Amino acid sequence: MKPTHRLEFAIHYSLFTIENSQFQNDVTKPIQLIRAVKGTRDLLPSETSVWQRVEEEARRVLASYNFHEIRTPVLEPTELFARSVGTDTDIVTKEMYTFQDRGEESLTLRPEATASVVRAYVEHSLYNSDRLQKLYYLGPMFRRERPQKGRYRQFYQIGAEVLGSESPTVDVEVLEMLFAYLGRLGLQDFRLLLNSVGCGRCRAEYVKGLRRALEDVKAQMCADCQRRAETNPLRVFDCKVEADQPIIARLPVILDHLCLECRQHFSSVTQGLDERQLRYEVTPRLVRGLDYYTRTTFEITSGALGAQNSVLGGGRYDGLSEILGGPPTPGFGFAIGEDRLVLAVESCGAGPANGQAVEVYLIWMGHEALKPAAKLARRLRSEGRRVELPYDLTKLKKAMGIANKLNARFAVIIGEAELASGRYQVKDMSTGQQEEVEPDRMAGFLRDRLAPGEGDGVGSLSR
Ligand code: HAM
């Protein structure tokens, strides 16, 4: 922090505390509850286990295709999104959280991460590496949309980008990876919608024709479309206004106007998908709401979701690196809406694996039992076991009740008699069977009866 910033911060902070203390001293005012900002949510422990499973499975599948994680800041210069996503898009014109950073530069909470990944690629000259960059990310994005089920102002994406190849095999392999991933999560009812939006050359020709077609009909369209018809006619296809849809349905589509190279690229993609038996539906009006796309665009929708049924979207963006000042670099990627994916996974009954139940509930009876109980807990935890050690002395009956409520697999009881004999009681909570086990044998005893713990490097969600 610069000294001037530190001073400003101190002034702001003290003003805040003065206001706050005045407010707190005013006993006549009821204390208002502070709630999460509209469109943002707390994900409580009862929900996060599905999120963890979705993320762990994603990391596993991405690693198997040799993708590596990249983490970019949530805050970016506004210019980054204006230049890449496009100044006529809904995201940039209506949805970004943008603010002036104390009169310095304009900053924006990232509405998506492709622009950030390509910015980082250019900034750190990752193009100098002799290999393709296969990068992935997970994290929050921000768009000021009207909140509803599956649409939030802070939402989460799991995304991946391949930088450095224009081969249609990239498109096919990434789509195959997505099918594998959704399959592993138990999602069945999904459709891949596929299109090509051409390259700079053939699209420019097509857009001229589209502009002409819009001349005749734009007066009957919404105000946004009238503006788009002038500034960026392709964005007319993003229109959600019901009355405009029959007009949009009659407009020429880009797929009929691709140049030879783009046509060949698209047919290689569909051929590759056919060879790998991945089903798709060619959807000629799928242009997606971001300006950087070239050639392949796609979305996967899920029947398990309502109005917001697009689980993920992506495509090619062969000119983006140049737009951001980098060398010509083809790119292809996708982003999954994690909030929506979680909803879809939950609704098809493929909930979390039971990796989060307590494995061992350690009951210590009498203060002299706490030390050996804590020692055993530490040992088992170091093996990745999920262990609960009560903080307070509790009667046996009550402790057993808690172990039951926690769905613990085993209860280990350490009391006076166990300390004297050097053998602890171990109760299998599902069968009620009880055995005596020496502390040094405990880890092995549990290993024989439970799935491997995290400490074995296998992960607690082993299925
Ligand atoms: P996008 O289509 O804008 O693409 O977003 C991808 C996914 O994020 C959507 O399919 C949806 O599931 C989810 N999503 C978008 N907005 C919201 C929201 N307000 N609430 C909940 N979920 C939402 C991109 O972001 C591109 N960066 C994808 C990409 C990567 N293209 C190439 N590489």
Side-chain angles (χ1 to χ4, degrees):
M1 203 186 279
K2 283 192 208 156
T4 49
H5 280 183
R6 215 174 293 145
L7 184 67
E8 265 183 48
F9 177 75
I11 293 167
H12 278 260
Y13 181 73
S14 53
L15 282 175
F16 173 76
T17 45
I18 290 165
E19 277 169 16
N20 221 26
S21 63
Q22 278 175 347
F23 176 70
Q24 285 188 357
N25 288 340
D26 185 353
V27 286
T28 58
K29 279 192 183 171
I31 293 178
Q32 295 252 312
L33 280 187
I34 298 170
R35 297 185 186 280
V37 172
K38 185 177 174 187
T40 72
R41 302 180 293 158
D42 300 306
L43 298 170
L44 302 178
S46 57
E47 299 163 88
T48 48
S49 57
V50 190
W51 285 73
Q52 285 172 6
R53 175 169 171 226
V54 160
E55 288 166 15
E56 281 171 26
E57 205 63 78
R59 287 185 192 278
R60 205 168 294 171
V61 173
L62 284 156
S64 71
Y65 280 79
N66 197 29
F67 279 77
H68 296 269
E69 185 175 2
I70 182 166
R71 299 188 189 200
T72 60
V74 166
L75 267 184
E76 293 277 8
T78 304
E79 170 76 8
L80 175 66
F81 304 109
R83 242 200 271 171
S84 55
V85 175
T87 46
D88 291 310
T89 56
D90 280 355
I91 293 179
V92 173
T93 54
K94 303 178 190 167
E95 297 170 1
M96 293 203 309
Y97 285 94
T98 296
F99 63 95
Q100 209 67 25
D101 182 19
R102 304 267 166 121
E104 287 180 8
E105 62 179 323
S106 176
L107 299 181
T108 291
L109 287 177
R110 66 180 179 193
E112 62 107 51
T114 308
S116 305
V117 171
V118 178
R119 181 209 34 79
Y121 174 84
V122 173
E123 187 171 337
H124 303 286
S125 312
L126 297 185
Y127 45 81
N128 280 340
S129 143
D130 52 7
R131 63 187 170 85
L132 214 69
Q133 295 295 318
K134 292 164 75 176
L135 308 168
Y136 79 88
Y137 51 86
L138 288 86
M141 311 290 154
F142 304 84
R143 296 184 194 174
R144 200 175 188 287
E145 295 192 78
R146 199 165 41 79
Q148 66 177 85
K149 190 171 180 208
R151 191 166 66 196
Y152 310 100
R153 292 182 171 179
Q154 175 173 335
F155 61 99
Y156 295 82
Q157 285 188 343
I158 302 174
E161 316 291 348
V162 181
L163 291 154
S165 168
E166 61 180 344
S167 167
T169 312
V170 171
D171 311 25
V172 175
E173 193 187 74
V174 169
L175 288 166
E176 176 196 85
M177 176 172 75
L178 283 167
F179 273 67
Y181 175 54
L182 298 180
R184 284 182 77 127
L185 291 176
L187 218 71
Q188 278 140 12
D189 186 15
F190 62 85
R191 292 158 61 196
L192 166 61
L193 313 179
L194 191 70
N195 194 21
S196 172
V197 294
C199 62
R201 257 182 316 123
C202 56
R203 196 164 50 212
E205 275 307 303
Y206 161 74
V207 167
K208 275 188 207 161
L210 182 62
R211 209 184 280 277
R212 276 196 299 275
L214 281 165
E215 274 306 311
D216 302 333
V217 291
K218 69 178 183 201
Q220 301 152 43
M221 301 182 85
C222 70
D224 271 347
C225 280
Q226 292 188 19
R227 178 180 50 79
R228 290 163 177 151
E230 299 296 328
T231 55
N232 191 347
L234 206 60
R235 296 273 67 90
V236 162
F237 290 101
D238 300 336
C239 176
K240 309 271 180 332
V241 175
E242 205 55 52
D244 286 359
Q245 299 312 310
I247 303 171
I248 292 168
R250 288 193 298 273
L251 292 172
V253 290
I254 177 97
L255 205 54
D256 296 334
H257 295 84
L258 298 181
C259 62
L260 181 65
E261 287 87 347
C262 288
R263 256 201 324 266
Q264 280 171 345
H265 193 276
F266 191 61
S267 80
S268 303
V269 173
T270 53
Q271 203 178 323
L273 292 173
D274 290 337
E275 279 163 15
R276 297 186 196 201
Q277 296 182 338
L278 304 171
R279 288 180 50 197
Y280 57 89
E281 297 165 33
V282 175
T283 311
R285 282 183 178 75
L286 184 75
V287 296
R288 315 238 323 111
L290 304 102
D291 273 357
Y292 51 60
Y293 289 117
T294 54
R295 295 190 167 170
T296 316
T297 51
F298 66 94
E299 276 182 22
I300 289 186
T301 61
S302 166
L305 297 171
Q308 300 305 317
N309 67 351
S310 169
V311 180
L312 63 90
R316 223 165 231 293
Y317 45 88
D318 291 348
L320 184 53
S321 166
E322 284 154 283
I323 290 174
L324 297 179
T329 310
F332 180 84
F334 66 84
I336 300 170
E338 193 178 353
D339 309 68
R340 295 183 191 176
L341 181 59
V342 164
L343 284 172
V345 166
E346 283 171 342
S347 78
C348 69
N354 190 19
Q356 308 229 325
V358 168
E359 291 176 306
V360 181
Y361 192 75
L362 258 173
I363 302 171
W364 49 279
M365 290 156 59
H367 283 289
E368 55 298 345
L370 176 58
K371 199 171 154 196
K375 187 176 168 200
L376 179 60
R378 198 162 55 240
R379 167 81 204 278
L380 297 178
R381 284 167 174 162
S382 75
E383 296 227 344
R385 295 278 160 235
R386 191 176 281 264
V387 177
E388 182 70 13
L389 178 70
Y391 297 120
D392 299 307
L393 188 58
T394 320
K395 293 225 160 60
L396 182 60
K397 197 166 165 215
K398 191 172 171 200
M400 279 308 218
I402 297 171
N404 250 327
K405 271 206 188 120
L406 290 174
N407 251 333
R409 280 284 289 113
F410 289 94
V412 174
I413 302 152
I414 311 174
E416 212 174 304
E418 286 74 23
L419 288 177
S421 70
R423 295 160 76 90
Y424 300 166
Q425 298 286 337
V426 182
K427 184 170 179 177
D428 184 325
M429 299 298 286
S430 51
T431 63
Q433 259 181 358
Q434 203 151 312
E435 284 183 60
E436 289 183 347
V437 180
E438 287 158 22
D440 286 347
R441 279 187 45 238
M442 194 67 77
F445 175 89
L446 294 169
R447 218 177 290 131
D448 292 343
R449 287 159 182 80
L450 292 168
E454 282 163 6
D456 302 327
V458 183
S460 62
L461 294 174
S462 42
R463 277 169 287 281

